[in-house]
Amino acid sequence: MKQLAKFGIILGSICLIATLVLAVTYEVTKPKIEAQRKAEEESALKMVMPEAESFVEKNIDGIDYFDALKGTSLIGYCIKITGNGYNGYIRMIVGIDRQGMIKGLEILEQAETPGLGSRITEVRPGEKEAYFLKQFKGKLAENLAIKKNIDAITGATITSKSVADAVKKTVTEFLSKVKK
Amino acid sequence: MKLSGEFIKGLWRENPTFRIVLGLCPTLAVSTSVSNGLGMGIAATFVLVGSNIFISMIRNIVPEKVRIPCFIVTIATFVTIVELSMKAYAPVLSRSLGIYVPLIVVNCIVLGRAEAFSSKYPPFASIMDALGMGLGFTWALVLISAIREACGNGTILGFYICKYFDPPLFMILAPGALLTIGLLIGCINYFSLKGKR
């Protein structure tokens, strides 16, 4: 019994020290982590909607999106999309004008197979944009179809298809809701 | 006992990857590019040094029977510190290493050193041991990932080494990791056995 109490006190005090250290680390890093996430989102927004000057975060029936404003006039929307990839979720953000024409597409997070599916974000040497994502520009979201107007990445048909399908589905759903 | 000896043994004679063959899970998984390998190596070294110092300091207080939970709590704390700071200050690296940073907790090198070394020796020797082991793990990871990145993606640290070469993709997938590590361990064993004969 005495031994048990001794073990408990020792283990307990080590846990207490650990908790204190972690609490301090968490508090110190939290604002930085938040800021990083914000900055990442903001740079993605600028990429998919270069003409816009400001963004207002909104939500409609579970779809997170941003109104893209130039001055005070609404020039389009940026929508957050989550697609089911080959290997977990693919989180992306798409910029569309008010008619549903795609202005730009950026991947925020993906865990696709390195060298195959992860090529959706690959930039060829000497180029500025990812060649897969560039194809989406100037196309109407409702018409997107792999092999018809979007070339899939060799060896990564499932990833390519899930990006195109997720954009098509979410944007179509979003437009029908916004127009109501 | 010589301190420099504690440092040097991790680099070659008792190299965690090639000699003791510990911590192969992260080695196989993250050695797809040199930056990942280097980041993982440094993160693991930090955890090793931190946990070795602390465990060595408490080695006389902790009773034999509850030592493993004490070690795990210590290691988990250092891993969480690394994970949070990496998210805050190196978000790109944190995203590409993903789940393997929190998984340093179960990296057998860290618990192995706690059990085999720092719970028996004073703090300074433990720091030397941790640094040696950490750097040994890091150079092994960098070597493996350099071979895999160059062969599988045609790049080193993201720079194209040859534009006109179509790299065999399997080198950065799972089979490439097993082949590279197997061949390297084979070569090292061959040469060290040859030296003995």
Side-chain angles (χ1 to χ4, degrees), chain A residues 3 7 10-11 14-15 18 21-22 25-26 29 32-33 36 40 108-109 113-116 122 125, chain B residues 58 61-63 65-66 69-70 73 77 80-81 84-85 87-89 91 95 160 163 169 172-173:
Chain A
Q3 203 190 25
F7 287 179
I10 290 169
L11 193 51
I14 288 175
C15 289
V21 172
L22 283 185
T25 319
Y26 180 75
T29 52
K32 280 260 162 35
I33 294 175
Q36 290 282 8
E40 213 168 76
L108 294 175
E109 204 179 316
T113 321
L116 291 170
E122 188 182 60
Chain B
I58 59 168
I61 316 167
V62 174
K65 280 182 185 157
V66 288
C70 293
V73 170
T77 309
T80 315
I81 293 174
L84 288 174
S85 352
K87 266 192 190 148
Y89 302 104
R95 224 177 316 136
Y160 280 78
K163 266 187 193 173
L169 194 59
I172 52 170
L173 299 176

Side-chain angles (χ1 to χ4, degrees), chain A residues 99-116:
Chain A
Q99 280 71 46
M101 196 182 78
I102 295 172
K103 299 293 238 176
L105 177 66
E106 278 295 307
I107 307 284
L108 294 175
E109 204 179 316
Q110 52 91 13
E112 300 303 292
T113 321
L116 291 170

Side-chain angles (χ1 to χ4, degrees), chain A residues 2-40:
Chain A
K2 211 179 150 193
Q3 203 190 25
L4 197 68
K6 193 187 153 203
F7 287 179
I9 289 167
I10 290 169
L11 193 51
S13 37
I14 288 175
C15 289
L16 193 71
I17 297 171
T19 317
L20 287 176
V21 172
L22 283 185
V24 171
T25 319
Y26 180 75
E27 284 303 320
V28 171
T29 52
K30 197 183 165 195
K32 280 260 162 35
I33 294 175
E34 278 292 302
Q36 290 282 8
R37 213 183 51 85
K38 263 259 155 71
E40 213 168 76

Side-chain angles (χ1 to χ4, degrees), chain B residues 27-144:
Chain B
T27 312
L28 290 168
V30 303
S31 59
T32 50
S33 69
V34 177
S35 56
N36 277 5
L38 197 61
M40 184 65 183
I42 292 168
T45 307
F46 175 82
V47 173
L48 259 169
V49 173
S51 64
N52 257 15
I53 295 174
F54 190 76
I55 288 167
S56 166
M57 287 192 313
I58 59 168
R59 74 185 188 285
N60 294 326
I61 316 167
V62 174
E64 178 92 17
K65 280 182 185 157
V66 288
R67 67 183 198 288
I68 300 290
C70 293
F71 295 169
I72 296 284
V73 170
T74 312
I75 295 166
T77 309
F78 281 104
V79 170
T80 315
I81 293 174
V82 168
E83 197 204 348
L84 288 174
S85 352
M86 210 184 245
K87 266 192 190 148
Y89 302 104
V92 179
L93 184 64
S94 151
R95 224 177 316 136
S96 75
L97 290 177
I99 187 70
Y100 294 100
V101 176
L103 279 184
I104 298 176
V105 176
V106 289
N107 186 327
C108 9
I109 300 171
V110 185
L111 188 61
R113 290 333 284 171
E115 180 75 356
F117 199 91
S118 61
S119 60
K120 299 191 180 87
Y121 293 94
F124 201 66
S126 299
I127 297 176
M128 284 312 189
D129 176 72
L131 282 175
M133 286 291 160
L135 288 179
F137 183 54
T138 309
W139 82 253
L141 265 176
V142 169
L143 176 67
I144 296 166

